[in-house]
Amino acid sequence: MPGIDESLLEAMRLPGARGASLVDWISGLALGAVGDAPGGDWEATAAETAELGRHVAESGSLAAGGTGAGGAEPGKEPPVEDLIAITGDAYHLLRFVSTPFDSTVFLHLWLDRNDGNLALARIRLAEMADRLVLG
């Protein structure tokens, strides 16, 4: 089972990959990063995407079934699997990772919009998230 570095390197082998990171959406820290960072700074990118990820993960209206106050709970599946942001030249795919302890991390993949395949990236990132070993 791959760890953080191996998973991020695997993500970089996807067509069009510009950069990849593993972000803790509670602290806003990048637990690992490879490739280029959007804006040139992985720490700033991690903090900004963590805000977005935290908002979505804690949103009751986006939880499975769309009911209740929702939100991620320790040891539970995140209420949202993926978050996709599309810009003029890129795709940003955030894949929430389930862990046995707190489920407060996501994989962030930055793909070139011309060279990347969003459907393939989503499938592969889900597979990586399922195999990822943290700790």
Short mmCIF file of all heavy atoms in Angstrom, two decimals, residues 3-80:
data_model
loop_
_atom_site.label_atom_id
_atom_site.label_comp_id
_atom_site.label_asym_id
_atom_site.label_seq_id
_atom_site.Cartn_x
_atom_site.Cartn_y
_atom_site.Cartn_z
N GLY A 3 2.37 5.06 0.33
CA GLY A 3 2.29 6.19 1.23
C GLY A 3 2.06 7.48 0.47
O GLY A 3 1.75 7.47 -0.74
N ILE A 4 2.25 8.58 1.14
CA ILE A 4 1.96 9.89 0.55
C ILE A 4 2.83 10.15 -0.68
O ILE A 4 2.31 10.49 -1.74
CB ILE A 4 2.16 11.01 1.60
CG1 ILE A 4 1.13 10.86 2.72
CG2 ILE A 4 2.07 12.39 0.95
CD1 ILE A 4 1.39 11.76 3.92
N ASP A 5 4.13 10.00 -0.55
CA ASP A 5 5.03 10.33 -1.66
C ASP A 5 4.74 9.47 -2.88
O ASP A 5 4.69 9.97 -4.01
CB ASP A 5 6.49 10.17 -1.25
CG ASP A 5 6.91 11.20 -0.22
OD1 ASP A 5 6.27 12.27 -0.15
OD2 ASP A 5 7.88 10.94 0.52
N GLU A 6 4.55 8.17 -2.67
CA GLU A 6 4.29 7.27 -3.79
C GLU A 6 2.97 7.62 -4.48
O GLU A 6 2.87 7.60 -5.70
CB GLU A 6 4.26 5.81 -3.33
CG GLU A 6 5.59 5.28 -2.84
CD GLU A 6 5.85 5.60 -1.37
OE1 GLU A 6 4.96 6.20 -0.69
OE2 GLU A 6 6.94 5.27 -0.88
N SER A 7 1.96 7.96 -3.70
CA SER A 7 0.65 8.32 -4.27
C SER A 7 0.74 9.61 -5.08
O SER A 7 0.17 9.71 -6.17
CB SER A 7 -0.39 8.47 -3.17
OG SER A 7 -0.65 7.23 -2.56
N LEU A 8 1.47 10.58 -4.58
CA LEU A 8 1.60 11.85 -5.30
C LEU A 8 2.39 11.67 -6.58
O LEU A 8 2.05 12.26 -7.62
CB LEU A 8 2.23 12.91 -4.40
CG LEU A 8 1.39 13.33 -3.19
CD1 LEU A 8 2.16 14.32 -2.33
CD2 LEU A 8 0.05 13.89 -3.62
N LEU A 9 3.43 10.85 -6.54
CA LEU A 9 4.19 10.57 -7.76
C LEU A 9 3.34 9.83 -8.78
O LEU A 9 3.43 10.08 -9.99
CB LEU A 9 5.46 9.79 -7.43
CG LEU A 9 6.53 10.59 -6.69
CD1 LEU A 9 7.67 9.67 -6.25
CD2 LEU A 9 7.04 11.74 -7.53
N GLU A 10 2.49 8.92 -8.29
CA GLU A 10 1.56 8.22 -9.19
C GLU A 10 0.59 9.21 -9.84
O GLU A 10 0.29 9.11 -11.03
CB GLU A 10 0.80 7.15 -8.41
CG GLU A 10 -0.15 6.33 -9.26
CD GLU A 10 -0.89 5.26 -8.47
OE1 GLU A 10 -0.51 4.95 -7.32
OE2 GLU A 10 -1.88 4.75 -9.02
N ALA A 11 0.11 10.17 -9.08
CA ALA A 11 -0.80 11.18 -9.61
C ALA A 11 -0.12 12.00 -10.70
O ALA A 11 -0.74 12.36 -11.70
CB ALA A 11 -1.29 12.10 -8.49
N MET A 12 1.17 12.25 -10.55
CA MET A 12 1.91 13.05 -11.54
C MET A 12 2.10 12.31 -12.86
O MET A 12 2.43 12.93 -13.86
CB MET A 12 3.26 13.49 -10.97
CG MET A 12 3.15 14.55 -9.89
SD MET A 12 2.30 16.05 -10.45
CE MET A 12 3.49 16.66 -11.65
N ARG A 13 1.88 11.01 -12.88
CA ARG A 13 1.98 10.26 -14.12
C ARG A 13 0.71 10.35 -14.97
O ARG A 13 0.68 9.88 -16.10
CB ARG A 13 2.32 8.79 -13.82
CG ARG A 13 3.76 8.61 -13.34
CD ARG A 13 4.20 7.16 -13.33
NE ARG A 13 3.56 6.36 -12.31
CZ ARG A 13 4.00 6.19 -11.08
NH1 ARG A 13 5.11 6.78 -10.69
NH2 ARG A 13 3.35 5.43 -10.21
N LEU A 14 -0.33 10.96 -14.43
CA LEU A 14 -1.57 11.14 -15.20
C LEU A 14 -1.34 12.17 -16.30
O LEU A 14 -0.62 13.16 -16.10
CB LEU A 14 -2.70 11.60 -14.29
CG LEU A 14 -3.24 10.55 -13.33
CD1 LEU A 14 -4.08 11.18 -12.25
CD2 LEU A 14 -4.04 9.52 -14.10
N PRO A 15 -1.96 11.95 -17.47
CA PRO A 15 -1.80 12.91 -18.56
C PRO A 15 -2.24 14.32 -18.14
O PRO A 15 -3.31 14.49 -17.57
CB PRO A 15 -2.73 12.38 -19.66
CG PRO A 15 -2.94 10.94 -19.33
CD PRO A 15 -2.83 10.83 -17.84
N GLY A 16 -1.38 15.29 -18.39
CA GLY A 16 -1.70 16.68 -18.09
C GLY A 16 -1.46 17.12 -16.67
O GLY A 16 -1.73 18.28 -16.33
N ALA A 17 -0.94 16.24 -15.80
CA ALA A 17 -0.73 16.60 -14.40
C ALA A 17 0.33 17.69 -14.29
O ALA A 17 1.41 17.59 -14.85
CB ALA A 17 -0.32 15.38 -13.59
N ARG A 18 -0.01 18.76 -13.59
CA ARG A 18 0.93 19.85 -13.33
C ARG A 18 1.49 19.77 -11.92
O ARG A 18 2.62 20.13 -11.67
CB ARG A 18 0.23 21.20 -13.48
CG ARG A 18 -0.16 21.57 -14.88
CD ARG A 18 -0.76 22.95 -14.84
NE ARG A 18 -1.19 23.40 -16.16
CZ ARG A 18 -1.80 24.54 -16.36
NH1 ARG A 18 -2.04 25.36 -15.36
NH2 ARG A 18 -2.17 24.88 -17.59
N GLY A 19 0.64 19.34 -10.99
CA GLY A 19 1.05 19.26 -9.60
C GLY A 19 0.04 18.47 -8.80
O GLY A 19 -1.11 18.32 -9.21
N ALA A 20 0.49 17.94 -7.66
CA ALA A 20 -0.39 17.17 -6.79
C ALA A 20 0.04 17.38 -5.35
O ALA A 20 1.23 17.57 -5.06
CB ALA A 20 -0.33 15.68 -7.14
N SER A 21 -0.93 17.36 -4.45
CA SER A 21 -0.62 17.51 -3.03
C SER A 21 -1.64 16.75 -2.20
O SER A 21 -2.71 16.39 -2.67
CB SER A 21 -0.61 19.00 -2.63
OG SER A 21 -1.90 19.56 -2.78
N LEU A 22 -1.26 16.50 -0.96
CA LEU A 22 -2.16 15.95 0.03
C LEU A 22 -2.33 17.03 1.09
O LEU A 22 -1.33 17.52 1.65
CB LEU A 22 -1.61 14.67 0.66
CG LEU A 22 -2.52 14.01 1.68
CD1 LEU A 22 -3.72 13.38 0.98
CD2 LEU A 22 -1.77 12.96 2.48
N VAL A 23 -3.56 17.45 1.32
CA VAL A 23 -3.84 18.60 2.18
C VAL A 23 -4.73 18.18 3.35
O VAL A 23 -5.70 17.45 3.17
CB VAL A 23 -4.53 19.72 1.37
CG1 VAL A 23 -4.91 20.89 2.26
CG2 VAL A 23 -3.65 20.17 0.22
N ASP A 24 -4.38 18.67 4.53
CA ASP A 24 -5.24 18.52 5.70
C ASP A 24 -6.17 19.73 5.71
O ASP A 24 -5.71 20.87 5.86
CB ASP A 24 -4.40 18.48 6.97
CG ASP A 24 -5.22 18.34 8.24
OD1 ASP A 24 -6.33 18.91 8.31
OD2 ASP A 24 -4.77 17.67 9.17
N TRP A 25 -7.48 19.49 5.52
CA TRP A 25 -8.39 20.62 5.40
C TRP A 25 -8.74 21.26 6.74
O TRP A 25 -9.37 22.31 6.78
CB TRP A 25 -9.64 20.30 4.61
CG TRP A 25 -10.44 19.08 4.94
CD1 TRP A 25 -10.34 17.86 4.35
CD2 TRP A 25 -11.49 18.96 5.89
NE1 TRP A 25 -11.25 17.00 4.88
CE2 TRP A 25 -11.99 17.64 5.83
CE3 TRP A 25 -12.08 19.84 6.80
CZ2 TRP A 25 -13.02 17.18 6.63
CZ3 TRP A 25 -13.11 19.38 7.60
CH2 TRP A 25 -13.57 18.06 7.51
N ILE A 26 -8.32 20.69 7.85
CA ILE A 26 -8.52 21.34 9.15
C ILE A 26 -7.41 22.37 9.39
O ILE A 26 -7.67 23.52 9.72
CB ILE A 26 -8.55 20.30 10.28
CG1 ILE A 26 -9.72 19.34 10.12
CG2 ILE A 26 -8.60 20.99 11.66
CD1 ILE A 26 -11.09 19.96 10.26
N SER A 27 -6.15 21.94 9.22
CA SER A 27 -5.02 22.83 9.49
C SER A 27 -4.65 23.71 8.30
O SER A 27 -4.00 24.74 8.48
CB SER A 27 -3.80 22.01 9.90
OG SER A 27 -3.32 21.25 8.80
N GLY A 28 -5.01 23.28 7.09
CA GLY A 28 -4.62 24.02 5.89
C GLY A 28 -3.19 23.75 5.45
O GLY A 28 -2.64 24.49 4.65
N LEU A 29 -2.60 22.67 5.96
CA LEU A 29 -1.21 22.35 5.63
C LEU A 29 -1.13 21.29 4.55
O LEU A 29 -1.93 20.36 4.52
CB LEU A 29 -0.48 21.85 6.87
CG LEU A 29 -0.33 22.85 8.01
CD1 LEU A 29 0.31 22.16 9.22
CD2 LEU A 29 0.48 24.05 7.58
N ALA A 30 -0.12 21.43 3.68
CA ALA A 30 0.18 20.40 2.70
C ALA A 30 1.02 19.34 3.40
O ALA A 30 2.09 19.64 3.93
CB ALA A 30 0.93 20.98 1.51
N LEU A 31 0.54 18.11 3.42
CA LEU A 31 1.28 17.01 4.04
C LEU A 31 2.32 16.44 3.08
O LEU A 31 3.20 15.69 3.48
CB LEU A 31 0.31 15.91 4.49
CG LEU A 31 -0.80 16.37 5.43
CD1 LEU A 31 -1.74 15.23 5.74
CD2 LEU A 31 -0.23 16.97 6.69
N GLY A 32 2.19 16.80 1.83
CA GLY A 32 3.13 16.40 0.79
C GLY A 32 2.74 17.09 -0.50
O GLY A 32 1.56 17.40 -0.69
N ALA A 33 3.71 17.34 -1.37
CA ALA A 33 3.41 18.00 -2.64
C ALA A 33 4.51 17.66 -3.64
O ALA A 33 5.67 17.50 -3.27
CB ALA A 33 3.33 19.51 -2.45
N VAL A 34 4.10 17.53 -4.90
CA VAL A 34 5.04 17.30 -6.00
C VAL A 34 4.61 18.15 -7.20
O VAL A 34 3.45 18.53 -7.32
CB VAL A 34 5.12 15.81 -6.43
CG1 VAL A 34 5.67 14.95 -5.32
CG2 VAL A 34 3.78 15.28 -6.89
N GLY A 35 5.57 18.43 -8.07
CA GLY A 35 5.26 19.20 -9.27
C GLY A 35 5.13 20.68 -8.96
O GLY A 35 5.56 21.16 -7.90
N ASP A 36 4.54 21.38 -9.89
CA ASP A 36 4.34 22.82 -9.75
C ASP A 36 3.12 23.09 -8.88
O ASP A 36 2.18 22.31 -8.84
CB ASP A 36 4.11 23.46 -11.12
CG ASP A 36 5.33 23.34 -12.02
OD1 ASP A 36 6.45 23.36 -11.49
OD2 ASP A 36 5.14 23.22 -13.24
N ALA A 37 3.15 24.23 -8.20
CA ALA A 37 2.01 24.66 -7.39
C ALA A 37 1.24 25.74 -8.14
O ALA A 37 1.86 26.62 -8.73
CB ALA A 37 2.48 25.21 -6.05
N PRO A 38 -0.08 25.68 -8.13
CA PRO A 38 -0.84 26.79 -8.70
C PRO A 38 -0.45 28.08 -7.99
O PRO A 38 -0.43 28.13 -6.76
CB PRO A 38 -2.30 26.42 -8.41
CG PRO A 38 -2.28 24.94 -8.18
CD PRO A 38 -0.94 24.64 -7.58
N GLY A 39 -0.07 29.08 -8.71
CA GLY A 39 0.37 30.33 -8.09
C GLY A 39 1.81 30.28 -7.60
O GLY A 39 2.31 31.26 -7.08
N GLY A 40 2.47 29.13 -7.73
CA GLY A 40 3.88 29.01 -7.37
C GLY A 40 4.18 28.72 -5.91
O GLY A 40 5.34 28.64 -5.54
N ASP A 41 3.18 28.55 -5.06
CA ASP A 41 3.42 28.36 -3.63
C ASP A 41 2.49 27.29 -3.08
O ASP A 41 1.28 27.51 -2.95
CB ASP A 41 3.19 29.70 -2.92
CG ASP A 41 3.45 29.66 -1.43
OD1 ASP A 41 3.76 28.57 -0.88
OD2 ASP A 41 3.34 30.72 -0.79
N TRP A 42 3.06 26.11 -2.74
CA TRP A 42 2.22 25.02 -2.24
C TRP A 42 1.57 25.35 -0.90
O TRP A 42 0.45 24.93 -0.63
CB TRP A 42 3.03 23.72 -2.12
CG TRP A 42 3.03 22.94 -3.39
CD1 TRP A 42 4.12 22.59 -4.13
CD2 TRP A 42 1.90 22.40 -4.09
NE1 TRP A 42 3.73 21.88 -5.25
CE2 TRP A 42 2.37 21.75 -5.25
CE3 TRP A 42 0.53 22.41 -3.87
CZ2 TRP A 42 1.53 21.11 -6.16
CZ3 TRP A 42 -0.31 21.79 -4.77
CH2 TRP A 42 0.20 21.15 -5.90
N GLU A 43 2.25 26.11 -0.04
CA GLU A 43 1.66 26.43 1.26
C GLU A 43 0.41 27.29 1.10
O GLU A 43 -0.62 27.05 1.73
CB GLU A 43 2.68 27.11 2.17
CG GLU A 43 3.77 26.19 2.68
CD GLU A 43 4.86 25.90 1.66
OE1 GLU A 43 5.02 26.68 0.70
OE2 GLU A 43 5.55 24.88 1.81
N ALA A 44 0.50 28.30 0.23
CA ALA A 44 -0.66 29.17 -0.01
C ALA A 44 -1.78 28.39 -0.70
O ALA A 44 -2.96 28.54 -0.34
CB ALA A 44 -0.25 30.37 -0.86
N THR A 45 -1.41 27.55 -1.67
CA THR A 45 -2.41 26.74 -2.36
C THR A 45 -3.11 25.80 -1.39
O THR A 45 -4.33 25.65 -1.43
CB THR A 45 -1.76 25.94 -3.51
OG1 THR A 45 -1.22 26.87 -4.45
CG2 THR A 45 -2.76 25.03 -4.19
N ALA A 46 -2.34 25.16 -0.50
CA ALA A 46 -2.93 24.25 0.48
C ALA A 46 -3.90 24.99 1.39
O ALA A 46 -5.01 24.50 1.66
CB ALA A 46 -1.83 23.57 1.30
N ALA A 47 -3.52 26.15 1.86
CA ALA A 47 -4.39 26.93 2.75
C ALA A 47 -5.68 27.33 2.03
O ALA A 47 -6.78 27.23 2.61
CB ALA A 47 -3.65 28.16 3.26
N GLU A 48 -5.56 27.76 0.78
CA GLU A 48 -6.74 28.19 0.04
C GLU A 48 -7.67 27.03 -0.32
O GLU A 48 -8.88 27.13 -0.18
CB GLU A 48 -6.31 28.94 -1.22
CG GLU A 48 -5.66 30.28 -0.92
CD GLU A 48 -4.97 30.90 -2.11
OE1 GLU A 48 -4.98 30.31 -3.21
OE2 GLU A 48 -4.40 32.00 -1.94
N THR A 49 -7.09 25.91 -0.77
CA THR A 49 -7.93 24.77 -1.11
C THR A 49 -8.52 24.13 0.15
O THR A 49 -9.61 23.59 0.11
CB THR A 49 -7.18 23.71 -1.94
OG1 THR A 49 -6.01 23.28 -1.24
CG2 THR A 49 -6.80 24.25 -3.31
N ALA A 50 -7.80 24.23 1.27
CA ALA A 50 -8.32 23.70 2.53
C ALA A 50 -9.59 24.44 2.95
O ALA A 50 -10.54 23.83 3.44
CB ALA A 50 -7.26 23.79 3.63
N GLU A 51 -9.61 25.75 2.75
CA GLU A 51 -10.81 26.52 3.08
C GLU A 51 -12.00 26.03 2.25
O GLU A 51 -13.10 25.85 2.77
CB GLU A 51 -10.59 28.01 2.81
CG GLU A 51 -9.85 28.72 3.89
CD GLU A 51 -9.82 30.22 3.65
OE1 GLU A 51 -10.91 30.81 3.42
OE2 GLU A 51 -8.72 30.79 3.70
N LEU A 52 -11.76 25.84 0.97
CA LEU A 52 -12.81 25.35 0.08
C LEU A 52 -13.23 23.94 0.48
O LEU A 52 -14.42 23.65 0.61
CB LEU A 52 -12.31 25.38 -1.37
CG LEU A 52 -13.28 24.97 -2.44
CD1 LEU A 52 -14.52 25.84 -2.44
CD2 LEU A 52 -12.59 25.03 -3.81
N GLY A 53 -12.26 23.07 0.68
CA GLY A 53 -12.55 21.69 1.08
C GLY A 53 -13.29 21.61 2.40
O GLY A 53 -14.24 20.84 2.54
N ARG A 54 -12.87 22.40 3.38
CA ARG A 54 -13.53 22.41 4.68
C ARG A 54 -14.98 22.87 4.56
O ARG A 54 -15.89 22.27 5.13
CB ARG A 54 -12.75 23.31 5.65
CG ARG A 54 -13.32 23.35 7.05
CD ARG A 54 -12.46 24.13 8.05
NE ARG A 54 -11.94 25.39 7.55
CZ ARG A 54 -10.66 25.59 7.18
NH1 ARG A 54 -9.79 24.60 7.23
NH2 ARG A 54 -10.28 26.76 6.74
N HIS A 55 -15.19 23.91 3.78
CA HIS A 55 -16.54 24.42 3.60
C HIS A 55 -17.45 23.34 3.00
O HIS A 55 -18.57 23.13 3.46
CB HIS A 55 -16.53 25.67 2.72
CG HIS A 55 -17.88 26.26 2.51
ND1 HIS A 55 -18.58 26.91 3.50
CD2 HIS A 55 -18.68 26.25 1.43
CE1 HIS A 55 -19.75 27.29 3.03
NE2 HIS A 55 -19.85 26.90 1.78
N VAL A 56 -16.97 22.67 1.97
CA VAL A 56 -17.76 21.64 1.31
C VAL A 56 -17.96 20.43 2.23
O VAL A 56 -19.06 19.90 2.35
CB VAL A 56 -17.10 21.22 -0.03
CG1 VAL A 56 -17.74 19.97 -0.60
CG2 VAL A 56 -17.19 22.36 -1.02
N ALA A 57 -16.89 20.00 2.90
CA ALA A 57 -16.96 18.81 3.75
C ALA A 57 -17.89 19.03 4.95
O ALA A 57 -18.51 18.08 5.43
CB ALA A 57 -15.57 18.42 4.24
N GLU A 58 -17.97 20.25 5.43
CA GLU A 58 -18.80 20.53 6.60
C GLU A 58 -20.20 21.01 6.25
O GLU A 58 -21.01 21.29 7.13
CB GLU A 58 -18.09 21.55 7.49
CG GLU A 58 -16.82 20.99 8.11
CD GLU A 58 -16.04 22.00 8.92
OE1 GLU A 58 -16.34 23.22 8.84
OE2 GLU A 58 -15.12 21.58 9.63
N SER A 59 -20.49 21.09 4.97
CA SER A 59 -21.79 21.57 4.53
C SER A 59 -22.85 20.48 4.67
O SER A 59 -22.74 19.41 4.08
CB SER A 59 -21.70 22.00 3.06
OG SER A 59 -22.98 22.25 2.55
N GLY A 60 -23.86 20.75 5.44
CA GLY A 60 -24.94 19.79 5.61
C GLY A 60 -25.75 19.58 4.35
O GLY A 60 -26.24 18.49 4.08
N SER A 61 -25.90 20.62 3.54
CA SER A 61 -26.71 20.50 2.34
C SER A 61 -26.04 19.66 1.26
O SER A 61 -26.69 19.18 0.35
CB SER A 61 -27.07 21.87 1.78
OG SER A 61 -25.91 22.57 1.44
N LEU A 62 -24.73 19.47 1.35
CA LEU A 62 -24.02 18.65 0.37
C LEU A 62 -23.74 17.24 0.87
O LEU A 62 -23.17 16.44 0.14
CB LEU A 62 -22.69 19.31 -0.02
CG LEU A 62 -22.81 20.65 -0.73
CD1 LEU A 62 -21.43 21.24 -0.98
CD2 LEU A 62 -23.57 20.50 -2.04
N ALA A 63 -24.15 16.93 2.08
CA ALA A 63 -23.95 15.58 2.62
C ALA A 63 -24.77 14.58 1.84
O ALA A 63 -25.73 14.94 1.14
CB ALA A 63 -24.34 15.55 4.10
N ALA A 64 -24.41 13.32 1.94
CA ALA A 64 -25.14 12.25 1.24
C ALA A 64 -26.63 12.38 1.52
O ALA A 64 -27.05 12.47 2.66
CB ALA A 64 -24.64 10.89 1.68
N GLY A 65 -27.40 12.42 0.45
CA GLY A 65 -28.84 12.56 0.59
C GLY A 65 -29.30 14.00 0.74
O GLY A 65 -30.48 14.29 0.65
N GLY A 66 -28.36 14.92 1.01
CA GLY A 66 -28.69 16.33 1.10
C GLY A 66 -29.55 16.70 2.30
O GLY A 66 -30.23 17.70 2.29
N THR A 67 -29.51 15.91 3.37
CA THR A 67 -30.33 16.22 4.54
C THR A 67 -29.47 16.36 5.77
O THR A 67 -28.36 15.86 5.84
CB THR A 67 -31.37 15.11 4.81
OG1 THR A 67 -30.68 13.88 5.03
CG2 THR A 67 -32.32 14.97 3.64
N GLY A 68 -29.99 17.02 6.75
CA GLY A 68 -29.33 17.11 8.04
C GLY A 68 -28.23 18.15 8.06
O GLY A 68 -27.95 18.82 7.09
N ALA A 69 -27.60 18.26 9.24
CA ALA A 69 -26.52 19.22 9.43
C ALA A 69 -25.20 18.67 8.92
O ALA A 69 -24.22 19.38 8.86
CB ALA A 69 -26.40 19.60 10.90
N GLY A 70 -25.14 17.41 8.59
CA GLY A 70 -24.01 16.78 7.92
C GLY A 70 -22.67 17.10 8.53
O GLY A 70 -22.54 17.31 9.71
N GLY A 71 -21.67 17.14 7.66
CA GLY A 71 -20.32 17.41 8.10
C GLY A 71 -19.56 16.13 8.34
O GLY A 71 -20.14 15.08 8.58
N ALA A 72 -18.25 16.23 8.26
CA ALA A 72 -17.40 15.07 8.46
C ALA A 72 -17.23 14.82 9.95
O ALA A 72 -17.11 15.73 10.74
CB ALA A 72 -16.04 15.30 7.82
N GLU A 73 -17.26 13.56 10.32
CA GLU A 73 -17.05 13.16 11.69
C GLU A 73 -15.86 12.22 11.73
O GLU A 73 -15.62 11.48 10.79
CB GLU A 73 -18.28 12.43 12.23
CG GLU A 73 -19.52 13.27 12.29
CD GLU A 73 -20.72 12.47 12.76
OE1 GLU A 73 -20.53 11.51 13.50
OE2 GLU A 73 -21.83 12.81 12.36
N PRO A 74 -15.09 12.23 12.83
CA PRO A 74 -13.95 11.33 12.92
C PRO A 74 -14.36 9.88 12.66
O PRO A 74 -15.36 9.39 13.17
CB PRO A 74 -13.47 11.53 14.36
CG PRO A 74 -13.88 12.93 14.70
CD PRO A 74 -15.20 13.10 13.99
N GLY A 75 -13.58 9.22 11.83
CA GLY A 75 -13.83 7.81 11.53
C GLY A 75 -14.94 7.55 10.54
O GLY A 75 -15.25 6.42 10.23
N LYS A 76 -15.55 8.59 10.01
CA LYS A 76 -16.66 8.44 9.07
C LYS A 76 -16.21 8.83 7.67
O LYS A 76 -15.25 9.55 7.49
CB LYS A 76 -17.84 9.32 9.47
CG LYS A 76 -18.36 9.08 10.86
CD LYS A 76 -19.47 8.10 10.85
CE LYS A 76 -20.02 8.00 12.26
NZ LYS A 76 -20.93 7.00 12.48
N GLU A 77 -16.97 8.35 6.68
CA GLU A 77 -16.70 8.74 5.30
C GLU A 77 -16.99 10.24 5.15
O GLU A 77 -17.95 10.75 5.71
CB GLU A 77 -17.63 7.98 4.35
CG GLU A 77 -17.37 6.50 4.29
CD GLU A 77 -16.14 6.16 3.48
OE1 GLU A 77 -15.86 6.85 2.49
OE2 GLU A 77 -15.45 5.21 3.86
N PRO A 78 -16.16 10.96 4.38
CA PRO A 78 -16.48 12.36 4.12
C PRO A 78 -17.81 12.43 3.36
O PRO A 78 -18.12 11.55 2.57
CB PRO A 78 -15.33 12.84 3.23
CG PRO A 78 -14.24 11.84 3.40
CD PRO A 78 -14.90 10.56 3.77
N PRO A 79 -18.61 13.48 3.60
CA PRO A 79 -19.91 13.56 2.95
C PRO A 79 -19.82 13.81 1.45
O PRO A 79 -20.77 13.57 0.72
CB PRO A 79 -20.59 14.73 3.65
CG PRO A 79 -19.49 15.54 4.21
CD PRO A 79 -18.37 14.58 4.51
N VAL A 80 -18.68 14.28 0.97
CA VAL A 80 -18.47 14.56 -0.45
C VAL A 80 -17.26 13.76 -0.91
O VAL A 80 -16.25 13.69 -0.21
CB VAL A 80 -18.23 16.07 -0.67
CG1 VAL A 80 -17.92 16.37 -2.11
CG2 VAL A 80 -19.42 16.88 -0.18
#
